[in-house]
């Protein structure tokens, strides 16, 4: 299992240091939650901030766009140093054009599903995707409770991947910690986002190692 700490739970006054801390703790990817106050009822940060924190690690930047019009901003996030860009299938941009735009920069592209959106919503695009992110909370805030009833969606995506012989990764995001991560591994998740569980831990290195062990 790969672990992607969500910087949403970090101390924003020292974001660079927080990234360095997660890098040393053994994070696989850095998960960056971009919110526009329109697609979700919260506002975080955008490409200018990401550009400045990029130099604190060599690990992949996994950018989760919770914004209404991702297509308008893909060039900015690519220039800021994204490696993976995921955006919501429920957004207002043209989905195919947005995937193509991400790939035109040589980046990995993923679609995200809100809890109420079925797996079938991403199937028309699945051959083009490097990743599908299944939300296990309503997007917008850290520290919410894990929705175990999203695991059938993960299984569905996994079987679709096998049926089509694809290599896309399945990521899960929201409420993942010691008490819940085993379920995600069992369902077939490859990458887990963890905000609270890692940032609020006394020893993040031990927290990340512990999460990985629970998946074995
Ligand atoms: C929620 C974000 C998540 C969130 C996860 O909208 O997409 O990445 O920060 O935080 P925890 O792990 O605390 O649920
Ligand atoms: Zn996220």
């Amino acid at each position: 299992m790969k672990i992607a700490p969500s910087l949403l739970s970090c101390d924003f006054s020292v974001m660079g240091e927080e990234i360095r801390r997660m890098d040393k703790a053994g994070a696989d990817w850095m998960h960056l939650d971009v919110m526009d106050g329109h697609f979700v009822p919260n506002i975080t940060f955008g490409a200018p901030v990401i550009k400045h924190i990029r130099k604190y690690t060599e690990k992949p930047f996994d950018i989760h766009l919770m914004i209404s019009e991702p297509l308008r901003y893909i060039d900015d996030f690519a220039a800021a140093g994204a490696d993976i860009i995921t955006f919501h299938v429920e957004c207002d941009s043209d989905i195919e054009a947005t995937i193509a735009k991400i790939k035109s920069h040589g980046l990995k592209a993923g679609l995200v599903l809100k809890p109420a959106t079925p797996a079938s919503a991403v199937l028309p695009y699945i051959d083009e995707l490097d990743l599908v992110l299944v939300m296990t909370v309503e997007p917008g805030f850290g520290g919410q409770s894990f929705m175990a009833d999203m695991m059938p969606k993960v299984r569905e995506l996994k079987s679709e991947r096998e049926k089509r012989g694809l290599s896309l990764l399945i990521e899960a995001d929201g409420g993942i910690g010691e008490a819940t991560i085993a379920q995600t591994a069992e369902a077939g998740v490859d990458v887990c986002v963890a905000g609270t569980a890692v940032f609020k831990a006394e020893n993040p290195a031990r927290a990340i190692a512990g999460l990985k062990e629970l998946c074995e």
Side-chain angles (χ1 to χ4, degrees), residues 6-9 31 33 35 40 64 66 135 137-144 173-176 193-197:
S6 162
L7 273 293
L8 189 58
S9 297
H31 185 80
D33 289 302
M35 306 185 190
V40 287
H64 175 191
M66 285 160 272
M135 290 307 299
V137 297
E138 280 303 331
F141 301 93
Q144 304 181 78
D173 182 6
I176 297 169
V193 177
T196 314

Side-chain angles (χ1 to χ4, degrees), residues 126-139:
I126 202 162
D127 295 326
E128 300 302 316
L129 299 175
D130 297 294
L131 194 140
V132 175
L133 172 51
V134 176
M135 290 307 299
T136 44
V137 297
E138 280 303 331

Side-chain angles (χ1 to χ4, degrees), residues 8 34-45 66 139-142:
L8 189 58
V34 175
M35 306 185 190
D36 65 356
H38 186 258
F39 183 78
V40 287
N42 195 8
I43 301 176
T44 55
F45 48 81
M66 285 160 272
F141 301 93

Side-chain angles (χ1 to χ4, degrees), residues 89-107:
V89 72
E90 309 89 358
C91 76
D92 297 332
S93 293
D94 184 278
I95 304 294
E96 276 178 43
T98 308
I99 295 170
K101 180 63 111 178
I102 295 169
K103 291 187 150 189
S104 76
H105 289 284
L107 308 177

Side-chain angles (χ1 to χ4, degrees), residues 2-36:
K2 280 186 165 55
I3 303 293
S6 162
L7 273 293
L8 189 58
S9 297
C10 83
D11 178 344
F12 282 116
S13 68
V14 285
M15 228 177 154
E17 286 310 315
E18 291 283 72
I19 285 182
R20 205 172 268 156
R21 191 160 75 91
M22 288 304 138
D23 186 330
K24 288 206 186 99
D28 294 291
W29 297 355
M30 300 297 162
H31 185 80
L32 296 155
D33 289 302
V34 175
M35 306 185 190
D36 65 356

